[in-house]
């Protein structure tokens, strides 16, 4: 094969690597630029290593006559390859430097080894003075400071950019090379604005729909099906659907309110009476069709919003009643764990296939549309539960086996637990 054809092998291989990195990044999380950036930095390191290995024999030669005629072709080949590698390295550095995502190469002590131009605008880094600084010290006044101190930090979503607080970024830390790490920061300001527009739209539309739906439902209540027997099925269906639409509007307004909150009221939520209320609500909704039991072994109360917690915990109970066939069992549990306390609702219902579990908390997501319509669900309940638990630093765990039933568990940390209040009664002695 001619030298000219060999000369194209390396650039083609580098370009193929960049394309593969973009495809892999897109498949793993729709972050094609992050994949390209990671591959570009890796190729830069490999080119430098390869160049050092080629130069080492030439630099270590002890021949007193390094430029004799027999060695001239070898020297020319080395110089050509060196120039080609240097050109490829220069192109890769320019490509990585021009990416819109911020890229910072860190050593094991978080010293900054290299960063691109986007890191200057998004993270506030400056060259050359910030090369070699400890990144967590440089960003100590930002929201990233605590995140950088973690040993294996999870991706951080929607935080203010240290370099431009008006912009929002997603930050990811990836292992790289030998005990090095690569920090990637992506500007999501545009997506944040679109998300805010969506929230405002949903809230405004829901609010405007509330009044006409109330009027329609009120007039339907005035019409007695017994007065017009031939329209009785139509009127009953209209009443049911208007009531369901009203519930959807109320759930949308609740969800919009929760999405705009960043904290909840810090009140004592007595669990004993709340659990008793939840059981009564389940029995009223079941109307004797299910066996409902309550198991409470944790003598603990919760710290948070009584209204929101009741809404979330009641939603899990009503879902269990709706999706459990007649004759099934439903168990409500409140128990202490090593990390805090768990509230769970178990049923012997239809169960949920594993591929649906990760999407259950999405708005309007349904495992079975026909079954959800028949049960009267709005498709927003689990999304509300997720947001309420997030505001209480808790999480929702879902376990289900098709045909055997499901268990929905709310896991609360120790910081949200309170010892029950002790009401002392004083006895007055008469003299």
């Amino acid at each position: 094969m001619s030298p000219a054809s060999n000369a194209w092998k390396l650039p083609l291989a580098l370009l193929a690597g960049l394309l593969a990195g973009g495809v892999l990044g897109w498949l793993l999380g729709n972050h094609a630029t992050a994949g390209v950036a990671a591959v570009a930095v890796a190729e830069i390191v490999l080119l430098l290593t390869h160049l050092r290995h080629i130069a080492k024999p030439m630099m270590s030669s002890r021949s007193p006559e390094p430029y004799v005629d027999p060695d001239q072709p070898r020297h020319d080949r080395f110089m050509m390859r060196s120039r080609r590698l240097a050109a490829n390295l220069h192109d890769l550095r320019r490509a990585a430097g021009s990416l819109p995502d911020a890229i910072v190469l860190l050593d094991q002590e978080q010293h900054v080894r290299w960063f691109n131009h986007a890191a200057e605008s998004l993270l506030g880094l400056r060259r050359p003075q910030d090369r070699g600084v400890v990144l967590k010290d440089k960003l100590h006044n930002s929201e990233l400071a605590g995140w950088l101190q973690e040993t294996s930090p999870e991706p951080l979503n929607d935080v203010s950019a240290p370099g431009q607080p008006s912009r929002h970024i997603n930050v990811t830390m990836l292992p790289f090379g030998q005990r090095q790490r690569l920090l990637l920061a992506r500007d999501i300001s545009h997506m944040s604005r679109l998300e805010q527009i969506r929230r405002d739209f949903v809230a405004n539309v829901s609010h405007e729909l509330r009044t006409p739906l109330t009027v329609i439902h009120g007039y339907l209540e005035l019409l007695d099906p017994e007065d017009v027997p031939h329209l009785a099925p139509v009127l009953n269906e209209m009443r049911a659907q208007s009531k369901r639409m009203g519930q959807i509007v109320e759930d949308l307004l609740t969800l919009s309110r929760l999405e705009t909150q960043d904290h909840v009221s810090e009140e004592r939520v007595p669990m004993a009476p709340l659990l008793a209320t939840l059981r009564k609500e389940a029995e009223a909704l079941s109307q004797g069709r299910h066996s409902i039991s309550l198991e409470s072994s944790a003598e603990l109360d919760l710290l948070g919003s009584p209204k929101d917690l009741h809404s979330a915990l009641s939603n899990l109970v009503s879902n269990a009643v709706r999706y459990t066939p007649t004759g099934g069992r439903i168990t409500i549990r409140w128990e202490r764990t090593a990390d805090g306390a768990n509230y769970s609702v178990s049923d012997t219902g239809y169960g949920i296939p594993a591929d649906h579990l990760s999407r259950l908390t999405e708005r309007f997501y349904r495992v079975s549309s026909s079954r959800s319509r028949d049960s009267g669900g709005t498709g927003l309940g689990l999304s509300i539960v997720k947001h309420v638990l997030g505001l209480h630093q808790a999480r929702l765990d879902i376990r289900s086996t098709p045909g055997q039933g499901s268990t929905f568990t709310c896991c609360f940390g120790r910081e949200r637990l309170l010892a029950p209040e002790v009401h002392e009664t004083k006895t007055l002695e008469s003299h």
Side-chain angles (χ1 to χ4, degrees), residues 10 47 50-51 54 81-90:
L10 183 59
L47 286 172
H50 186 55
L51 183 60
I54 294 176
R81 296 186 67 180
S82 298
R83 284 194 294 267
R84 190 163 58 246
L85 288 173
N88 291 331
L89 179 60
H90 179 69

Side-chain angles (χ1 to χ4, degrees), residues 238-315:
M238 291 173 68
R239 284 181 177 180
Q241 293 302 324
S242 66
K243 183 178 180 180
R244 181 167 176 267
M245 284 296 298
Q247 187 60 53
I248 290 176
V249 169
E250 293 300 323
D251 285 351
L252 282 172
L253 289 172
T254 299
L255 195 55
S256 297
R257 175 180 61 83
L258 293 171
E259 287 178 334
T260 56
Q261 286 184 232
D262 55 5
H263 66 279
V264 292
S265 59
E266 303 291 332
E267 302 178 38
R268 175 182 289 272
V269 182
M271 287 301 294
L274 177 57
L275 292 170
T277 300
L278 294 173
R279 179 176 183 175
K280 291 179 181 178
E281 292 177 353
E283 292 173 344
L285 185 61
S286 172
Q287 296 182 349
R289 295 181 292 111
H290 308 92
S291 173
I292 300 174
S293 60
L294 172 63
E295 300 176 3
S296 178
S297 59
E299 295 183 356
L300 297 167
D301 291 340
L302 283 175
L303 180 66
S305 169
K307 178 182 177 181
D308 291 335
L309 284 173
H310 177 263
S311 173
L313 304 186
S314 175
N315 191 284

Side-chain angles (χ1 to χ4, degrees), residues 160-179:
S160 298
Q164 299 184 35
S166 61
R167 299 168 71 177
H168 295 263
I169 58 175
N170 283 351
V171 191
T172 305
M173 187 77 76
L174 302 175
F176 177 77
Q178 296 182 352
R179 296 192 296 180

